[in-house]
Amino acid sequence: MSTIITTHSLTKSYGDRTVVDGLDLRVPEGCVYGFVGPNGAGKSTTMKMLLSLVRPTRGEVRVMGRRMDRSTRRELLGSIGSLIETPPAYAHLTGAENMRLVQRLLRLGDGRVDRAVRTVRLQDHLDKRVRAYSLGMKQRLGIAMALAREPRLLVLDEPANGLDPAGIDEMRHLIKRLADDGITVMVSSHLLDEVDRTATVLGILGGGRLLFQGTRDELFSRSVPDVLIDTSEPERAAAATEPWGGTLDEGTVRVPGLDHPATAEVVARLVDARVDVYGVRREDRSLEDVFMDLTRGRGL
Amino acid sequence: MGSVRAEFIKLRRSLSWAVVVLLPLAAVGSGGGNTALSGEPLADGWHTLWLRVVVFYGLFPLAVGVAALASLVWRAEHEGGNRNALMARPVSGLEVAVGKFAALAALTAAMQGVLVAGTVVAGKAVYGLPGSLPAEYLLVSVLIVVACLPVAALQSGLSMLMRSFGAPVAVGLLGAGFGVLLVALRADALAAAVPYSLLSRATQVGTGVFADPGPITAEGAADAAGLAAAALVLTAVAVAGTAAVLERRDVA
């Protein structure tokens, strides 16, 4: 599968503070790329660099096979729709006037504008001033304004931020519809749950660094859940497994980061110590747990 | 040009129109009102009325008005994600700068139109002056609009850089003071390079105030042409500068 966005060692520093640190992103064409990380992880800055709104301190961005910089951005941006940080739109104008403004600016035909508005299902609200729109409607209008140019790539920065559960669900469906139409969607969120069900590829950012990039299944397979051991003498068992980082957790011994051979070693050690082993299991972990571990710096 | 048409859509329901109407009417009201309150007749008819309305207006209210219009035209771009969206479209910095400037030029011309109309109405309705405003003042009005262009272009650049509404207006006020000072000191060479001076000077044409010789002569017309040329050059420089900064500057 070809990549639509590639970055090499993409870095942004403000003085001594590095907010994005050596990112090597690979966004496959046609995917929904979930760009996830806590607030302040560097997602918006990265997305701004992808659009050349912010110039990198180091590294480069390639979009659709071409280097994205101030000399090329105007050409490339013709195929990229975006919604960065808060939704755009002129509050004193109606939705229709905002769309007409984009139409005039980009010299687009009526058909494109109508399609964009219908895609976000805003056709019945165009005569209202944007000031009277709900946040969800503003987000949808912002996306319609980005879609009117019929982009190959759509970059959405936290589009579900501040929406109620129904709005979040609607946004998910919209992203799915856009992806079904063949648009590559890069969507960021500070909550994995918001993009987990729509993203086909995940990029997880923490402290400005790319902690993981791949599919949901790859993320699961590369994570090593803690081993939980039930024994006759939990305290002695915890002491015996201390060299592996074992701790007592509500009567169960918890040992992090063990692969299969190390698990066998730990069990053998307990048997040697004459501790009765009742059960050994891996902790059940949700994708959210894996994400939280990653972004708290525990690693996979 | 698409960006110009887009900017004109943004002017709908804009507060800018309040400035366009109220500021020149206030100038007509204060200039003409003082005369009415003093009970003295207008010594030289339309000429005296024009002088009383326009000269004070050109000292600082006009520059401040243009500065306020520039702040209003840029204000929406500093709200929400509009600046990101503006710069993430396949539109050059020059197109954006020209679009904003064109909107400001139209507003400025409309403001001068209100001033002329207000002066004519005051002359006829309040003072019962015969005839109408002499045609030379319509030409002076065109010159005033041209002289406003570099101020509009410069203030547009400042309002693009500053998120604050008031800061560029304050710069406009200081600029107006400096401009008037250069005109009063007859520092003509320097004044020709300062947009605010050109604006102030243009409002004095034909009035005999400060550096102005009074009735417009052939020599005065040549000076006016020079003033217009200087204004157009400064406008081009300011618009090009705004475009260059837009192209280079990161969106915070």
Side-chain angles (χ1 to χ4, degrees), chain A residues 48 53-55 70 73-74 82 84-90 92-93 97 100-101 104-105 107 129 149, chain B residues 2-3 5 9-10 12-13 76-77 80-82 84-85 87-90 92 247-252:
Chain A
K48 284 181 172 182
L53 293 174
V54 166
R55 279 171 298 185
R70 293 292 159 98
R73 73 169 169 182
R74 212 175 315 145
S82 60
I84 301 293
E85 292 166 339
T86 43
Y90 299 94
H92 65 290
L93 301 178
E97 286 165 342
R100 198 172 313 130
L101 192 151
R104 297 275 184 272
L105 194 61
R107 300 177 188 86
R129 285 195 209 179
R149 71 192 79 163
Chain B
S3 62
R5 298 173 75 189
I9 294 175
K10 290 180 201 172
R12 288 186 190 178
R13 292 186 286 278
E77 309 303 347
N82 286 347
N84 289 318
M87 298 313 295
R89 290 184 186 128
S92 69
E247 281 293 342
R248 294 200 177 97
R249 203 175 156 86
D250 284 355
V251 181

Side-chain angles (χ1 to χ4, degrees), chain A residues 53-72:
Chain A
L53 293 174
V54 166
R55 279 171 298 185
T57 308
R58 275 199 314 280
E60 71 161 4
V61 174
R62 298 190 76 82
V63 181
M64 292 173 255
R66 292 183 61 193
R67 188 186 166 99
M68 167 66 103
D69 58 27
R70 293 292 159 98
S71 64
T72 59

Side-chain angles (χ1 to χ4, degrees), chain A residues 148-164:
Chain A
R149 71 192 79 163
E150 297 192 346
R152 272 172 69 187
L153 170 66
L154 193 60
V155 177
L156 304 176
D157 185 14
E158 301 261 6
N161 207 6
L163 298 186
D164 59 19

Side-chain angles (χ1 to χ4, degrees), chain B residues 77-158:
Chain B
E77 309 303 347
H78 296 302
E79 288 170 356
N82 286 347
R83 188 62 173 268
N84 289 318
L86 185 73
M87 298 313 295
R89 290 184 186 128
V91 174
S92 69
L94 183 63
E95 283 176 83
V96 173
V98 168
K100 291 289 181 198
F101 168 72
L104 273 172
L107 291 168
T108 304
M111 195 156 68
Q112 186 63 26
V114 173
L115 184 88
V116 170
T119 306
V120 169
V121 169
K124 297 300 284 182
V126 181
Y127 300 105
L129 293 175
S132 188
L133 189 69
E136 68 198 62
Y137 291 119
L138 297 181
L139 291 175
V140 171
S141 287
V142 173
L143 183 65
I144 291 172
V145 172
V146 172
C148 282
L149 299 182
V151 175
L154 178 62
Q155 287 294 148
S156 174
L158 292 172

Side-chain angles (χ1 to χ4, degrees), chain A residues 56-293:
Chain A
T57 308
R58 275 199 314 280
E60 71 161 4
V61 174
R62 298 190 76 82
V63 181
M64 292 173 255
R66 292 183 61 193
R67 188 186 166 99
M68 167 66 103
D69 58 27
R70 293 292 159 98
S71 64
T72 59
R73 73 169 169 182
R74 212 175 315 145
E75 249 175 274
L76 289 169
L77 288 172
S79 305
I80 308 171
S82 60
L83 192 149
I84 301 293
E85 292 166 339
T86 43
Y90 299 94
H92 65 290
L93 301 178
T94 64
E97 286 165 342
N98 272 282
M99 291 305 298
R100 198 172 313 130
L101 192 151
V102 172
Q103 184 179 9
R104 297 275 184 272
L105 194 61
L106 305 182
R107 300 177 188 86
L108 306 173
D110 290 343
R112 284 188 175 199
V113 172
D114 287 346
R115 274 196 296 280
V117 168
R118 286 182 189 283
T119 302
V120 301
R121 296 181 182 160
L122 208 58
Q123 62 271 24
D124 296 331
H125 304 283
L126 284 183
D127 293 334
K128 262 197 248 178
R129 285 195 209 179
V130 172
R131 187 171 289 132
Y133 275 20
S134 67
L135 180 60
M137 286 160 75
K138 285 180 187 166
Q139 297 279 32
R140 278 151 57 202
L141 176 65
I143 293 174
M145 289 165 83
L147 281 178
R149 71 192 79 163
E150 297 192 346
R152 272 172 69 187
L153 170 66
L154 193 60
V155 177
L156 304 176
D157 185 14
E158 301 261 6
N161 207 6
L163 298 186
D164 59 19
I168 292 172
D169 198 45
E170 196 172 353
M171 189 58 67
R172 271 197 206 110
H173 283 101
L174 172 58
I175 290 170
K176 271 187 181 159
R177 284 203 303 278
L178 295 171
D180 290 344
D181 289 343
I183 300 173
T184 307
V185 184
M186 182 180 192
V187 53
S188 76
S189 177
H190 62 284
L191 300 171
L192 182 65
D193 184 48
E194 276 178 7
V195 294
D196 174 26
R197 274 175 268 172
T198 41
T200 45
V201 180
L202 292 168
I204 298 181
L205 200 63
R209 303 182 72 91
L210 191 62
L211 304 174
F212 171 82
Q213 183 170 240
T215 64
R216 190 179 192 277
D217 289 344
E218 283 168 347
L219 178 59
F220 255 136
S221 69
R222 281 170 53 178
S223 73
V224 182
D226 292 355
V227 170
L228 303 177
I229 308 170
D230 296 319
T231 63
S232 55
E233 296 172 79
E235 282 175 11
R236 274 189 62 217
T241 57
E242 213 177 331
W244 288 273
T247 54
L248 198 57
D249 183 1
E250 293 178 3
T252 298
V253 175
R254 171 186 291 272
V255 193
L258 293 184
D259 57 12
H260 290 323
T263 306
E265 219 176 296
V266 165
V267 172
R269 175 75 189 83
L270 291 174
V271 172
D272 284 350
R274 298 198 172 280
V275 175
D276 295 337
V277 177
Y278 298 151
V280 180
R281 65 186 194 280
R282 295 271 178 190
E283 185 179 38
D284 284 338
R285 303 180 82 201
S286 66
L287 200 60
E288 195 70 32
D289 294 330
V290 176
F291 170 67
M292 294 302 284
D293 283 355

